[in-house]
Amino acid sequence: MTRTGPVGREAELRLLDEVLAGRGTDGPRVVDLTGAAGIGKSRLLTELCLRARSRGMSVLRGRATEYERHTPYGLFTDAFADLDPELLRPGTGSAADLAAAAAPVLRGIGDGGFGEGDPAPGDPGGDRADGSDRADGHRDGGHRAEPDAPYTDRFAVHRATARLLAALSRTGSGLLIALDDLHWADPASLELLDHLVRHPPHAPVLTAVARRDRQTSASLTAALTRGVDTGAVLRLGLGPLPERDCVERLAPGLRPERAARLYAASGGNPLYFLTLLQAQEPGAGARSPLGGLGSLLMDELTPLTPAQRRTVEAVAVLGDHATPALLAELAAGPAGELDATLRALALRDLARPGPAGSWTLRHPVLRTVVHENADHRRRIRMHRTAAEALARAGAPAPVRAHHVEQALTGWDPAGAAVLLEAAALASATAPASSAHWLAAVLRVLPDGPRYAGQRLALMLDRARALSVCGELRAGRDLLAEVIDAVPPDDESGLRPAAVTLCASLERHLGRYGRAEALLRRELSRSPAPPPSDLLALGIELGSSAPHSTPYPAVRTDVLRTRELARRLGDAAAEADALALMALGEAYEGGLDAAARYADRADALLETLTDRDLALRGESRARLSAASFYLERYGEAQRHADRGLALARRVGPPHILSHLLQCKANALMSTCRLHPALELVEEAETIARGIGNPDLLALALTNKAQVLLASLPPGDPESLAVAEEAAAVAGPRTSWWASLAWCVLGYAALFAGKPERARTAVLRAARPDLSGLQPSMRPLFLEALVTANVAGGDLESADGWAALATADAQRLGLPTQRASALRSTAQVLAARGRTAEAAEAYADSAREAARSGATLWEAQSLLLGASVAADGPAEAMWHRGRGLAESGGARLLTGLADLIRPSTPAAPAPAPPLPGLTPREREIAALVAEGLTTASIAARLHLSPRTVDTHLSHIYRKTGLTTRSALAALTARTTQAP
C-alpha cells in the first residue's frame, strides 16, 4: 500500500523535500513549523522524519510537555533517548567523548539518570549534590554550583551538544533532530536551541521545530526570524485546511450538509474536525472551537470505568515517565487489571503505546484536558506517589521536582529539600529552572521569626539565579524586599550582599543614580559593614564610572578600596579595583597610569583560582576595554577571550554581552569584520532580552560601526542601526549615549548627510566638548572635520583639525595621531594643497600601522591614493585595497574601486561618474575646480541649500565623504586618454 503524506500539505512537503536534499548544509539549516493547536504540525513533523530516514539520515525526535516545563533540557533529553547506546559507550570514538561533555542534556541534570541502563560516559554517577544543608539560612545558600565542577557550564554544554550532533551526523547520511511542541519547552532547552540556531554545527545537521507561534518566547522567535531573513531558517506557517481536503480525505462519504457544519465548526483545523466527527454532535458548530474541543474531549471520558479513568489520569500525570510499573502504583487497581485497562484505552484511541513500554495520551491537548479536570485531591496524591516512586528508582532531583511541586499543599521539609537540591543542581546550567524551584519553596515556607533568616537567604539565592538568566528587574525587586527586611545591625552578612547585588542590577538596568545612592547609604550606616563587605560595596560604587559618573568623582573611593584589599591580602578584590582604575584612567586619557594598573590587574588575575576567576568576568571586560583605548588590540582580545570563557560558563548574560562587544571592537580595528559582526549580533540579542537601554544602545552602536565598514558604499543598514542606537540612548548624557551619537555622525557622513553628521557629533560633545571621551576625541573630531569640509566651511574644519592635532599629541596614541593627520589632510586637500595632503595621509597610514589598526591604515592609504601623484597613488591604492579586501571591509573596497588610479597597462580613461545625474556631475566638476558651496551656488544660480542637497546625493551614490576625495575621483574619471 502506498503511503500518503499529511492531508492538504502538498506544497509544504515539496519545500521539505528540497530542504532534505540539502541535508542542513546547502540551504536552510532549520525548519520552523508554526500554527495553532491541532492544525497538523506534529503530523507534518512525523512525515519529515519518515522522509529523512528514507534518505539514510539519522533521526532524533523530542517533544516538550506542558507540565514538565521546568525540567532542564527535557526537550533534548527526550530526543537523545532515541540514540543507539553503543554510540555513547567509552572507547567508541568522538561521539562518546562529546557525550560526556553533553551529559546534562543526554540524561538531564543530576547523577547520570535513573532506572535501567548505565550512567552517561564520564558522568559523576552517584556523587549527587547534597541538598540537606540548603534550608539552614546560610548566607551563601549553597545554590551556586562550583564554577569548575563537571557539567555545570551551560555554555560549554551548548557547544558540546553542537559537536555531538555533528559527530552523530557523520555516522550516516546526515542527522535530523526534530523537536515538537516547542512552545512548552523548558528555558534551558530553549537557550540550547537558540545557540544551535545562531551557531549551527558545521556538518549535515538539520533541525526541525514545531510550535505555536503565539506561545513562543520573544527571544527565540527573534532568533528564528533573523534566520528567516538570512535564509538559514525555512518557516512554514500552517493555516486551516481547505474544505475539500478536510472533508474528502479525513471523512470520505460524509453527507455534504453534515460535512459543511463540521468544517465550519472546526475552522479547518483537522484535530477539531476529527473530534467533532467522533463525538457525533451535529450541533457542536454553535460552540467556540477551543471550548467546544475541551467539552468534546471530556465527553470521550464519560463512558470509562473507574479503573480506566484512573489510568488515563495517571498517564496524564506521569507524562514521559508513564511506564507500566509507575502506572500500576498511581492507578492502584487489582493485580493484572492494568494490561486490560491499557488495551481498552488503546481501542478507544485515548492512550497509545510509546517507546520502551511507556504510554502516552493521544494528543497533548487531551493530556491538558485530563490533567486539569482530574479531581484535585486525587491529582495531588498521584503526583506525590510519582515523586516517591521516582525517588526509589534513583531519579535525580530535577526529574522529581515537578511532581514534588505539584504535590505541595503546605510546608513539607522533605519536599522542600528535593526542590532545593534541584535548584542547586540547575543553578549554573539552567538558572531559570533554579529560580523557579526556589520560588516554589518560598511559596510554602511558613511565615514567622523561626523561618525569617531562611526565607531571606532563599530570596537572595533566587535573585542571584534570576540575574544569571537575565531577569534583572525581577532580581532587583526581590533584593529590595530583602534589604527592607534586614535591619542595619544584622550580622548575617545578608544585607551587604543584597545591597551589592541590587546595586549591580540597578547599574546594569541603566539606573546609575539609584545604584550609587543605595551603595553610599550602606557605606555610611552604623555600625559599618565588615571589611570584606566594604570591599564589594566599594568596587560596585566605582563601577558607575565612567558610564554616568566621571571617574575623577570616584577615584578616591576606588583607591581606598584598593588599599583595603591590599591590607586584607585579598588579591581578587585588588584585581577588581585595579581593573576599575585602569578603565577609568584610560577613558580620561591618563594612559601611563592606566597601563600600570592594567598590567598589575592582569598579573593578579593570573594568580587566582578557577573559582575566583569565575567571578571576574566584568573585570576582564574592563581590562579589555582599557587595553583597547590604550591601543593594545592583542591584549584587548586576550582579555575578552578569557572573560568570554568564564561568562559562557557561569554568566551572567549582561557581562557576556559586554565581553562580546569588547572582542568585536578589537577585531574591527584590526580589520577582521566578519567575526566582529557575528559577535555584535550575539551581543545585541542578549541586550534586547535584558531590557537595559544603555546596554542595547551600546550593542547597536558597535553593530553600526561594524556594519559601516563591512557593507558596500550606499548600503543604508548601518545608518538605520545607528539611528536606532541614538533613539534608544535618548536624552541621556552617559558615556554610551555619547558614543551612540558619535557613531551616528560617522554613519550619516557615509550616507551623504554631512549636516546630520555635524549635528549628531555636536549633540554628543555638548558645548564644552565634555561629552567626548578624552582618549578618543581626535577620532570623534575627525567626523566634524569631514562634515565641515563637505559643507564648504573650511574655517571651522581647520579649527576642529587643530584641536584634534593638539589632543593627539597629548595622548601620544598612534591611532589617534593617525586620525588627526587625516583631519589635517582633508583640510589641505580642500585648499588645493594635494601634495601636502597626500603626505599627511601617508603619515596617517604609518601611524595606524604602528598600533596594528589595519582598518584605519587601509582607510588612510585609500584616501591618500585619491590625492597623490600617479606613482605613489598606485602603491597606496594596491596596499590599501588589499588590506580592506582581506579584512572584509567592503566600504573601503568600494571606495577603492571608485578611485582606482590609472596605470600604463590601462591607459584608457575611466568611465564617467556612474549613477549621477547631469546636474550632479556638473556640481562634482566644480568641486574638482576647488569651488566652495557658495561659489557653486552663485555660478549655477542655485541656493546653497540646493547645492548641499545635490552634494549629499553625490556622497551617498559614490560612497565618498570628503570634497577632496570627490575632486580626485572627478578628475580621474574625466581625464583624457
Side-chain angles (χ1 to χ4, degrees), residues 181-206:
D181 287 333
L182 191 66
H183 47 279
W184 283 329
D186 61 278
S189 290
L190 292 176
E191 189 178 54
L192 172 54
L193 178 61
D194 181 73
H195 176 86
L196 294 175
V197 171
R198 288 186 290 103
H199 305 287
H202 298 293
V205 177
L206 177 65

Side-chain angles (χ1 to χ4, degrees), residues 413-488:
V418 174
L419 294 176
L420 293 176
E421 181 182 356
L425 290 168
S427 60
T429 50
S433 295
S434 181
H436 172 81
W437 286 321
L438 288 168
V441 175
L442 286 165
R443 279 196 298 271
V444 297
L445 188 68
D447 291 326
R450 177 182 175 184
Y451 296 95
Q454 184 177 350
R455 176 178 296 279
L456 293 172
L458 291 176
M459 291 170 69
L460 178 58
D461 284 347
R462 184 165 187 264
R464 288 192 183 114
L466 289 169
S467 70
V468 172
C469 63
E471 297 289 338
L472 304 192
R473 286 185 172 82
R476 175 204 59 196
D477 294 344
L478 198 59
L479 289 165
E481 293 183 43
V482 175
I483 295 168
D484 288 343
V486 181

